[in-house]
Amino acid sequence: TWNVLLSFSGLVALIQLLFLPFFPESPPYLFLQKGNKDGCLKAMKQLWGEENYRTEFDDMMKEKAVTKGTKIMNVIEVLKEPSVRPQLTTMLLLLLSLQLCGLSATANLHESIIPYVALGVAVCELISIIFCSSIIDRFGRRRLLWGGYLLMALVLVLLETSLLLSDQFLWMRYCNVILIFLFIIAYGIGP
């Protein structure tokens, strides 16, 4: 019943993907990153109603004034910054916990290969974090969510097919590993 359990996460991703167009873009992203005040106000009205968004908008105005001269850091600068080490440590612990979830065991591989697959999963997570952090300002969260969920849904369909065929074709087990890597990269870039 692994295939049913694996398909369930694809169903949840598909439901989220279907409802995503009905939500506005993040107001702080629109205002602070893009400088789109009208779009920000429209998104805030949609999220909080006519009366409740003024306090949030005033806070964003203060934040924009405070961060006006602040430079946006790249990945290397963030890694060197001591003030963000607690957040980076927390993120690292979360990523390491993903290693214990058993995703590598679904590939139907020999036990001696699974540690290498786990290492590959960690490398894929690192790649997705670096890639996402370098392109999120350029494309915005909404596009990355759309792309991530679409890619995750496609990979899960292919993984389900590959898992069903892995008993008939031994080489399909390696396709399972590649698809698991792609799923993790899609997850890291999108959701």
Side-chain angles (χ1 to χ4, degrees):
T1 58
W2 272 102
N3 27 359
V4 175
L5 184 63
L6 200 57
S7 299
F8 181 73
S9 61
L11 177 67
V12 171
L14 181 64
I15 290 169
Q16 290 176 344
L17 182 64
L18 292 175
F19 283 105
L20 189 61
F22 300 106
F23 292 99
E25 186 66 71
S26 167
Y29 169 75
L30 288 171
F31 186 64
L32 299 173
Q33 298 286 329
K34 294 290 186 179
N36 184 354
K37 182 179 178 180
D38 295 332
C40 173
L41 290 172
K42 182 180 174 188
M44 291 179 94
K45 286 177 188 175
Q46 187 176 353
L47 290 170
W48 287 296
E50 285 294 325
E51 301 297 324
N52 298 330
Y53 70 93
R54 292 283 179 206
T55 306
E56 287 291 326
F57 186 72
D58 291 340
D59 289 343
M60 274 194 268
M61 291 288 287
K62 291 175 188 172
E63 184 178 346
K64 186 169 185 164
V66 168
T67 60
K68 188 172 185 172
T70 306
K71 178 187 153 208
I72 296 175
M73 296 188 289
N74 63 28
V75 176
I76 302 297
E77 292 169 338
V78 170
L79 292 174
K80 291 179 180 178
E81 180 63 37
S83 65
V84 297
R85 287 211 178 108
Q87 294 90 339
L88 288 173
T89 304
T90 303
M91 184 176 65
L92 182 63
L93 289 173
L94 287 171
L95 290 173
L96 290 175
S97 68
L98 185 60
Q99 296 300 310
L100 302 174
C101 74
L103 186 62
S104 304
T106 64
N108 201 11
L109 293 171
H110 193 271
E111 285 184 17
S112 63
I113 299 174
I114 290 180
Y116 298 107
V117 174
L119 179 64
V121 166
V123 169
C124 288
E125 291 168 355
L126 182 64
I127 289 170
S128 66
I129 289 169
I130 292 170
F131 185 68
C132 180
S133 63
S134 63
I135 65 170
I136 194 166
D137 290 335
R138 191 175 316 144
F139 295 106
R141 291 184 180 116
R142 178 175 287 236
R143 266 194 212 162
L144 291 180
L145 280 172
W146 267 99
Y149 280 128
L150 282 172
L151 189 57
M152 284 171 59
L154 175 67
V155 167
L156 285 173
V157 168
L158 293 173
L159 184 58
E160 177 67 25
T161 306
S162 179
L163 284 170
L164 290 174
L165 296 174
S166 65
D167 289 334
Q168 296 171 359
F169 306 101
L170 292 178
W171 58 269
M172 288 299 276
R173 295 177 180 183
Y174 298 101
C175 290
N176 297 344
V177 173
I178 292 169
L179 290 170
I180 288 171
F181 290 168
L182 286 175
F183 179 82
I184 291 168
I185 290 172
Y187 179 80
I189 291 172

